[in-house]
Amino acid sequence: MRKPFVAGNWKMNTTAASAECLAEALVQKIGHQEKVEVAVCPPFPYLFRVGAKLAGSRIALGAQNCHPDNRGAFTGEVSPMMLVDAGCKWVIVGHSERRHLLGEKDDFIHRKLVGALLANLHVILCVGETLDQRRSNQTEIVVETQLAGSLESISSDQLARVVIAYEPVWAIGTGQNATPDQAEKVHQFIRGWLDGQFGETCATTTRIVYGGSVNSGNAAGLLQQPNVDGALVGGASLNADEFAAIVNIAASVK
Ligand code: 13P
């Protein structure tokens, strides 16, 4: 049985005050939800404030990125150890906005993933194809390359702390979500790939969540798919009612 996982990626949004308000509202609405594992990933400067609001609730704190190393001369970077120190359980790596807008490649993402796991963080690893890649039938090879590049040398024990987020680039922030069928097909492919690389136990226990224009209106259809184990939510996670609704839908359909 895979426990559904729903995470909110706040991206470069909120202010100190609005981040606190949002966290407070979420604690009130879904802070005791037991059927779904929930995390929110605010911007770095607000981690401590949001963490303080989440304290005592079941909602975990996550970060949106990290550097592979724990310390050193890396101006502007934040280390996995610092995230743990700030109260984070989760970190997102390989988000398409960092792959495509900031030029991050699989080997760098792999180093981050290893660094995060060594610091005892749990990792949300994002993969997904662009619209051109989908149109030229390259979805599977792109996703496979990203998975292979990022998960190289990872042990089964370490994989237990990884959630894979399938986020088709064309569905992110566009309002055009993948259909439940499109998402399910890629999730099935990812599970098959995990089976081949890590064996059946890992394949059946690893959670694969969908991200890309998820909202309270389309969440049920997506989450009803057998291989869609949750959601990584961007825009809709900035609205407490919307995000709480998605979490509650996950609790009721899974
Ligand atoms: P949207 O939900 O805004 O499309 O963003 C998805 C995403 O990128 C989550 O990481």
mmCIF file of all heavy atoms in Angstrom, residues 82-108:
data_model
loop_
_atom_site.group_PDB
_atom_site.id
_atom_site.type_symbol
_atom_site.label_atom_id
_atom_site.label_comp_id
_atom_site.label_asym_id
_atom_site.label_seq_id
_atom_site.Cartn_x
_atom_site.Cartn_y
_atom_site.Cartn_z
ATOM 1 N N MET A 82 21.940 22.433 5.880
ATOM 2 C CA MET A 82 21.243 23.657 6.319
ATOM 3 C C MET A 82 19.735 23.456 6.283
ATOM 4 O O MET A 82 19.006 23.967 7.138
ATOM 5 C CB MET A 82 21.617 24.837 5.414
ATOM 6 C CG MET A 82 23.027 25.311 5.582
ATOM 7 S SD MET A 82 23.419 26.478 4.276
ATOM 8 C CE MET A 82 25.137 26.790 4.650
ATOM 9 N N LEU A 83 19.275 22.720 5.275
ATOM 10 C CA LEU A 83 17.824 22.476 5.167
ATOM 11 C C LEU A 83 17.341 21.628 6.341
ATOM 12 O O LEU A 83 16.289 21.889 6.916
ATOM 13 C CB LEU A 83 17.486 21.787 3.836
ATOM 14 C CG LEU A 83 17.779 22.610 2.587
ATOM 15 C CD1 LEU A 83 17.344 21.838 1.340
ATOM 16 C CD2 LEU A 83 17.080 23.963 2.632
ATOM 17 N N VAL A 84 18.145 20.618 6.695
ATOM 18 C CA VAL A 84 17.792 19.792 7.860
ATOM 19 C C VAL A 84 17.750 20.676 9.103
ATOM 20 O O VAL A 84 16.826 20.624 9.912
ATOM 21 C CB VAL A 84 18.797 18.629 8.022
ATOM 22 C CG1 VAL A 84 18.559 17.885 9.324
ATOM 23 C CG2 VAL A 84 18.707 17.676 6.832
ATOM 24 N N ASP A 85 18.759 21.532 9.202
ATOM 25 C CA ASP A 85 18.873 22.452 10.341
ATOM 26 C C ASP A 85 17.651 23.389 10.406
ATOM 27 O O ASP A 85 17.204 23.783 11.482
ATOM 28 C CB ASP A 85 20.149 23.278 10.117
ATOM 29 C CG ASP A 85 20.795 23.702 11.397
ATOM 30 O OD1 ASP A 85 20.440 23.136 12.441
ATOM 31 O OD2 ASP A 85 21.647 24.601 11.350
ATOM 32 N N ALA A 86 17.115 23.724 9.245
ATOM 33 C CA ALA A 86 15.958 24.634 9.185
ATOM 34 C C ALA A 86 14.641 23.882 9.385
ATOM 35 O O ALA A 86 13.569 24.480 9.316
ATOM 36 C CB ALA A 86 15.949 25.369 7.849
ATOM 37 N N GLY A 87 14.737 22.579 9.604
ATOM 38 C CA GLY A 87 13.519 21.815 9.902
ATOM 39 C C GLY A 87 12.901 21.109 8.711
ATOM 40 O O GLY A 87 11.778 20.598 8.794
ATOM 41 N N CYS A 88 13.622 21.053 7.596
ATOM 42 C CA CYS A 88 13.054 20.411 6.399
ATOM 43 C C CYS A 88 13.144 18.895 6.486
ATOM 44 O O CYS A 88 14.153 18.343 6.923
ATOM 45 C CB CYS A 88 13.813 20.826 5.141
ATOM 46 S SG CYS A 88 13.497 22.514 4.675
ATOM 47 N N LYS A 89 12.099 18.262 6.016
ATOM 48 C CA LYS A 89 12.124 16.814 5.801
ATOM 49 C C LYS A 89 12.366 16.538 4.321
ATOM 50 O O LYS A 89 12.985 15.545 3.965
ATOM 51 C CB LYS A 89 10.782 16.212 6.241
ATOM 52 C CG LYS A 89 10.662 14.723 5.962
ATOM 53 C CD LYS A 89 9.371 14.140 6.499
ATOM 54 C CE LYS A 89 9.291 12.642 6.188
ATOM 55 N NZ LYS A 89 8.019 12.052 6.631
ATOM 56 N N TRP A 90 11.840 17.407 3.464
ATOM 57 C CA TRP A 90 11.841 17.166 2.024
ATOM 58 C C TRP A 90 12.655 18.207 1.274
ATOM 59 O O TRP A 90 12.783 19.334 1.726
ATOM 60 C CB TRP A 90 10.398 17.225 1.484
ATOM 61 C CG TRP A 90 9.547 16.099 1.958
ATOM 62 C CD1 TRP A 90 8.758 16.086 3.076
ATOM 63 C CD2 TRP A 90 9.394 14.817 1.345
ATOM 64 N NE1 TRP A 90 8.105 14.877 3.191
ATOM 65 C CE2 TRP A 90 8.483 14.076 2.135
ATOM 66 C CE3 TRP A 90 9.931 14.223 0.203
ATOM 67 C CZ2 TRP A 90 8.102 12.769 1.826
ATOM 68 C CZ3 TRP A 90 9.554 12.918 -0.109
ATOM 69 C CH2 TRP A 90 8.658 12.211 0.694
ATOM 70 N N VAL A 91 13.120 17.808 0.089
ATOM 71 C CA VAL A 91 13.670 18.792 -0.855
ATOM 72 C C VAL A 91 13.300 18.356 -2.278
ATOM 73 O O VAL A 91 13.269 17.161 -2.572
ATOM 74 C CB VAL A 91 15.199 18.965 -0.689
ATOM 75 C CG1 VAL A 91 15.962 17.674 -1.011
ATOM 76 C CG2 VAL A 91 15.714 20.115 -1.546
ATOM 77 N N ILE A 92 12.975 19.324 -3.102
ATOM 78 C CA ILE A 92 12.690 19.058 -4.522
ATOM 79 C C ILE A 92 14.005 19.148 -5.294
ATOM 80 O O ILE A 92 14.751 20.121 -5.122
ATOM 81 C CB ILE A 92 11.711 20.120 -5.087
ATOM 82 C CG1 ILE A 92 10.366 20.086 -4.347
ATOM 83 C CG2 ILE A 92 11.509 19.920 -6.590
ATOM 84 C CD1 ILE A 92 9.436 21.257 -4.691
ATOM 85 N N VAL A 93 14.290 18.158 -6.118
ATOM 86 C CA VAL A 93 15.432 18.302 -7.043
ATOM 87 C C VAL A 93 14.984 17.968 -8.464
ATOM 88 O O VAL A 93 14.069 17.176 -8.674
ATOM 89 C CB VAL A 93 16.673 17.434 -6.655
ATOM 90 C CG1 VAL A 93 17.134 17.708 -5.227
ATOM 91 C CG2 VAL A 93 16.425 15.971 -6.861
ATOM 92 N N GLY A 94 15.637 18.623 -9.410
ATOM 93 C CA GLY A 94 15.359 18.336 -10.820
ATOM 94 C C GLY A 94 14.096 18.973 -11.349
ATOM 95 O O GLY A 94 13.577 18.553 -12.395
ATOM 96 N N HIS A 95 13.592 20.000 -10.663
ATOM 97 C CA HIS A 95 12.389 20.634 -11.192
ATOM 98 C C HIS A 95 12.671 21.191 -12.595
ATOM 99 O O HIS A 95 13.749 21.716 -12.857
ATOM 100 C CB HIS A 95 11.914 21.759 -10.264
ATOM 101 C CG HIS A 95 10.528 22.195 -10.595
ATOM 102 N ND1 HIS A 95 10.251 23.056 -11.635
ATOM 103 C CD2 HIS A 95 9.327 21.852 -10.063
ATOM 104 C CE1 HIS A 95 8.943 23.223 -11.714
ATOM 105 N NE2 HIS A 95 8.350 22.501 -10.773
ATOM 106 N N SER A 96 11.684 21.096 -13.473
ATOM 107 C CA SER A 96 11.911 21.505 -14.868
ATOM 108 C C SER A 96 12.253 22.983 -14.987
ATOM 109 O O SER A 96 12.936 23.394 -15.916
ATOM 110 C CB SER A 96 10.693 21.176 -15.728
ATOM 111 O OG SER A 96 9.624 22.002 -15.377
ATOM 112 N N GLU A 97 11.772 23.792 -14.038
ATOM 113 C CA GLU A 97 12.124 25.216 -14.117
ATOM 114 C C GLU A 97 13.621 25.393 -13.888
ATOM 115 O O GLU A 97 14.234 26.309 -14.446
ATOM 116 C CB GLU A 97 11.272 26.022 -13.119
ATOM 117 C CG GLU A 97 9.856 26.213 -13.665
ATOM 118 C CD GLU A 97 8.775 26.291 -12.606
ATOM 119 O OE1 GLU A 97 9.082 26.498 -11.420
ATOM 120 O OE2 GLU A 97 7.599 26.130 -12.979
ATOM 121 N N ARG A 98 14.215 24.534 -13.102
ATOM 122 C CA ARG A 98 15.662 24.615 -12.902
ATOM 123 C C ARG A 98 16.396 23.929 -14.065
ATOM 124 O O ARG A 98 17.447 24.386 -14.497
ATOM 125 C CB ARG A 98 16.067 23.991 -11.563
ATOM 126 C CG ARG A 98 15.417 24.677 -10.357
ATOM 127 C CD ARG A 98 16.119 24.367 -9.079
ATOM 128 N NE ARG A 98 17.467 24.914 -9.099
ATOM 129 C CZ ARG A 98 17.772 26.179 -8.740
ATOM 130 N NH1 ARG A 98 16.846 26.998 -8.318
ATOM 131 N NH2 ARG A 98 19.021 26.592 -8.800
ATOM 132 N N ARG A 99 15.822 22.841 -14.578
ATOM 133 C CA ARG A 99 16.459 22.188 -15.736
ATOM 134 C C ARG A 99 16.474 23.141 -16.933
ATOM 135 O O ARG A 99 17.501 23.321 -17.598
ATOM 136 C CB ARG A 99 15.677 20.936 -16.150
ATOM 137 C CG ARG A 99 15.771 19.757 -15.184
ATOM 138 C CD ARG A 99 14.905 18.612 -15.718
ATOM 139 N NE ARG A 99 14.754 17.524 -14.777
ATOM 140 C CZ ARG A 99 15.537 16.449 -14.728
ATOM 141 N NH1 ARG A 99 16.541 16.307 -15.556
ATOM 142 N NH2 ARG A 99 15.300 15.493 -13.848
ATOM 143 N N HIS A 100 15.321 23.754 -17.209
ATOM 144 C CA HIS A 100 15.202 24.491 -18.468
ATOM 145 C C HIS A 100 15.565 25.969 -18.359
ATOM 146 O O HIS A 100 16.123 26.532 -19.287
ATOM 147 C CB HIS A 100 13.790 24.322 -19.040
ATOM 148 C CG HIS A 100 13.516 22.901 -19.416
ATOM 149 N ND1 HIS A 100 14.040 22.318 -20.548
ATOM 150 C CD2 HIS A 100 12.837 21.922 -18.772
ATOM 151 C CE1 HIS A 100 13.678 21.043 -20.599
ATOM 152 N NE2 HIS A 100 12.946 20.776 -19.531
ATOM 153 N N LEU A 101 15.248 26.599 -17.233
ATOM 154 C CA LEU A 101 15.542 28.035 -17.123
ATOM 155 C C LEU A 101 16.940 28.274 -16.571
ATOM 156 O O LEU A 101 17.551 29.299 -16.842
ATOM 157 C CB LEU A 101 14.511 28.731 -16.222
ATOM 158 C CG LEU A 101 13.040 28.570 -16.642
ATOM 159 C CD1 LEU A 101 12.100 29.190 -15.623
ATOM 160 C CD2 LEU A 101 12.823 29.206 -18.018
ATOM 161 N N LEU A 102 17.455 27.307 -15.802
ATOM 162 C CA LEU A 102 18.759 27.512 -15.159
ATOM 163 C C LEU A 102 19.808 26.509 -15.629
ATOM 164 O O LEU A 102 20.921 26.470 -15.118
ATOM 165 C CB LEU A 102 18.603 27.452 -13.631
ATOM 166 C CG LEU A 102 17.684 28.554 -13.071
ATOM 167 C CD1 LEU A 102 17.252 28.259 -11.654
ATOM 168 C CD2 LEU A 102 18.374 29.910 -13.134
ATOM 169 N N GLY A 103 19.423 25.679 -16.597
ATOM 170 C CA GLY A 103 20.401 24.811 -17.256
ATOM 171 C C GLY A 103 20.913 23.635 -16.434
ATOM 172 O O GLY A 103 22.006 23.129 -16.685
ATOM 173 N N GLU A 104 20.158 23.183 -15.446
ATOM 174 C CA GLU A 104 20.641 22.045 -14.641
ATOM 175 C C GLU A 104 20.548 20.738 -15.424
ATOM 176 O O GLU A 104 19.546 20.456 -16.063
ATOM 177 C CB GLU A 104 19.823 21.937 -13.342
ATOM 178 C CG GLU A 104 20.140 23.064 -12.388
ATOM 179 C CD GLU A 104 19.579 22.843 -10.996
ATOM 180 O OE1 GLU A 104 18.984 21.785 -10.723
ATOM 181 O OE2 GLU A 104 19.749 23.760 -10.174
ATOM 182 N N LYS A 105 21.611 19.970 -15.327
ATOM 183 C CA LYS A 105 21.684 18.697 -16.055
ATOM 184 C C LYS A 105 21.588 17.517 -15.094
ATOM 185 O O LYS A 105 21.775 17.668 -13.889
ATOM 186 C CB LYS A 105 23.018 18.608 -16.809
ATOM 187 C CG LYS A 105 23.233 19.737 -17.796
ATOM 188 C CD LYS A 105 22.557 19.436 -19.118
ATOM 189 C CE LYS A 105 22.754 20.522 -20.159
ATOM 190 N NZ LYS A 105 21.876 21.686 -20.014
ATOM 191 N N ASP A 106 21.344 16.327 -15.668
ATOM 192 C CA ASP A 106 21.126 15.137 -14.838
ATOM 193 C C ASP A 106 22.280 14.839 -13.879
ATOM 194 O O ASP A 106 22.047 14.399 -12.755
ATOM 195 C CB ASP A 106 20.878 13.910 -15.722
ATOM 196 C CG ASP A 106 19.487 13.930 -16.337
ATOM 197 O OD1 ASP A 106 18.549 14.435 -15.674
ATOM 198 O OD2 ASP A 106 19.340 13.468 -17.471
ATOM 199 N N ASP A 107 23.527 15.077 -14.312
ATOM 200 C CA ASP A 107 24.628 14.717 -13.407
ATOM 201 C C ASP A 107 24.643 15.633 -12.176
ATOM 202 O O ASP A 107 24.916 15.188 -11.068
ATOM 203 C CB ASP A 107 25.998 14.702 -14.124
ATOM 204 C CG ASP A 107 26.345 16.030 -14.748
ATOM 205 O OD1 ASP A 107 25.431 16.863 -14.947
ATOM 206 O OD2 ASP A 107 27.535 16.255 -15.037
ATOM 207 N N PHE A 108 24.289 16.889 -12.368
ATOM 208 C CA PHE A 108 24.217 17.819 -11.236
ATOM 209 C C PHE A 108 23.027 17.453 -10.343
ATOM 210 O O PHE A 108 23.134 17.443 -9.108
ATOM 211 C CB PHE A 108 24.090 19.255 -11.770
ATOM 212 C CG PHE A 108 24.221 20.323 -10.717
ATOM 213 C CD1 PHE A 108 25.227 20.260 -9.753
ATOM 214 C CD2 PHE A 108 23.360 21.416 -10.702
ATOM 215 C CE1 PHE A 108 25.358 21.268 -8.797
ATOM 216 C CE2 PHE A 108 23.476 22.419 -9.743
ATOM 217 C CZ PHE A 108 24.470 22.343 -8.793
#
